[in-house]
Amino acid sequence: MTEILESDKLKVKHQILHLLKLHGPQTAAALAAQLQVSAMAVRQHLQTLQADHLVTYQEERRPVGRPIKQWQLTEKAAKRFPDNHAELLVNVLQGVEQLFGQDGLEALLAKRTQQQIGTYEAQLATAEAQEELQNQWQEKVKTIAQIRSQEGYMAEVVQESEQALLLIENHCAIHAAAKTCSQVCASELEVFSALLGEDIKIERVEHLIAGDRRCAYRIAAAKSANSTQEES
């Protein structure tokens, strides 16, 4: 009987990991509804998985009530899932360069960048309509971090100073491709700049490809960034 119970618990844990992998960050209540178990049981499983460094959470503010926990996989958990896309993407990039040369590769990446900008702009517009962000760049950065987390980047925003934020990506979802083609990383800066506008200065201060443990971007209003540099 005990073995059956332990087997059921293990099955639920695997299902939680699968749902987080399939649908991205979710609350304990959302997971419970999909698994048709109590929210309390899911929270207990999440605590165990967190102790095993397989899941973590970010608190998400709501207009009313307390912040909610959005649970997501850690990098350790992500390695449990087979990932053939990294090799496929690298092969595609190399194939395009071989067939169409550097100009063809640059055209492909430029097209991808524009598509990514369009997708993010639509998601930002939805968030602004729901949360009444009113184009505040700080809130836009936080929404971008949420979008990036859903894509597997384990992103977060840290208040570095009164004038500057750090957008941190604790995991790179396209690491293999970025190692093969540096232009993939360059397009990230282009995407963020397009989304936030020319009045916002963005600087990459940590880079996974350069040997850092993560990628991080310092983001500030251009006037604030310039005044800070003058003071220093």
Side-chain angles (χ1 to χ4, degrees):
M1 184 66 176
T2 302
E3 292 181 358
I4 294 176
L5 289 174
E6 289 301 321
S7 176
D8 289 341
K9 289 180 181 179
L10 187 60
K11 181 180 178 180
V12 173
K13 289 177 184 176
H14 286 163
Q15 289 174 328
I16 289 173
L17 294 176
H18 178 76
L19 288 172
L20 291 176
K21 178 66 174 178
L22 192 62
H23 301 298
Q26 297 183 64
T27 65
L31 290 168
Q34 294 172 82
L35 296 172
Q36 297 184 342
V37 297
S38 70
M40 181 178 294
V42 168
R43 289 190 183 97
Q44 291 175 345
H45 289 309
L46 287 169
Q47 289 172 0
T48 302
L49 291 169
Q50 184 182 28
D52 292 335
H53 306 291
L54 295 175
V55 300
T56 186
Y57 69 84
Q58 291 183 343
E59 289 192 341
E60 184 176 296
R61 291 181 299 166
R62 289 289 192 237
V64 179
R66 301 188 329 186
I68 63 171
K69 292 180 179 179
Q70 290 279 9
W71 292 90
Q72 61 189 30
L73 297 179
T74 63
E75 185 174 356
K76 179 180 177 181
K79 292 179 180 178
R80 290 187 165 211
F81 296 89
D83 184 6
N84 299 321
H85 297 292
E87 183 178 356
L88 174 62
L89 183 55
V90 169
N91 289 338
V92 168
L93 292 175
Q94 291 175 338
V96 168
E97 186 172 20
Q98 290 171 3
L99 287 172
F100 305 106
Q102 184 65 25
D103 289 344
L105 178 60
E106 290 177 359
L108 173 67
L109 293 174
K111 180 66 173 177
R112 173 186 177 272
T113 298
Q114 291 306 311
Q115 290 176 334
Q116 196 170 23
I117 290 171
T119 299
Y120 283 17
E121 283 178 337
Q123 291 177 278
L124 281 171
T126 300
E128 289 173 8
Q130 293 176 346
E131 302 178 23
E132 298 181 354
L133 302 184
Q134 298 178 348
N135 294 321
Q136 296 177 18
W137 69 267
Q138 298 96 332
E139 296 301 323
K140 277 191 173 183
V141 172
K142 294 174 184 177
T143 303
I144 290 170
Q146 292 174 6
I147 296 171
R148 298 289 281 181
S149 286
Q150 292 170 1
E151 294 179 347
Y153 288 87
M154 297 179 67
E156 60 179 326
V157 176
V158 174
Q159 190 85 39
E160 187 181 49
S161 67
E162 291 184 4
Q163 296 83 21
L165 299 177
L166 278 182
L167 172 59
I168 298 169
E169 295 180 341
N170 294 296
H171 176 66
C172 181
I174 53 170
H175 187 220
K179 286 175 64 178
T180 302
C181 178
S182 60
Q183 293 159 284
V184 174
C185 283
S187 69
E188 284 194 344
L189 281 171
E190 185 176 345
V191 169
F192 296 154
S193 296
L195 295 173
L196 295 172
E198 59 183 16
D199 292 334
I200 304 301
K201 182 177 180 180
I202 306 173
E203 176 188 9
R204 183 188 281 124
V205 293
E206 294 181 57
H207 196 189
L208 191 63
I209 300 300
D212 295 317
R213 72 172 184 86
R214 63 189 186 182
C215 289
Y217 302 85
R218 179 178 292 116
I219 305 175
K223 292 182 180 179
S224 298
N226 291 336
S227 62
T228 300
Q229 291 176 354
E230 290 173 1
E231 289 175 3
S232 59

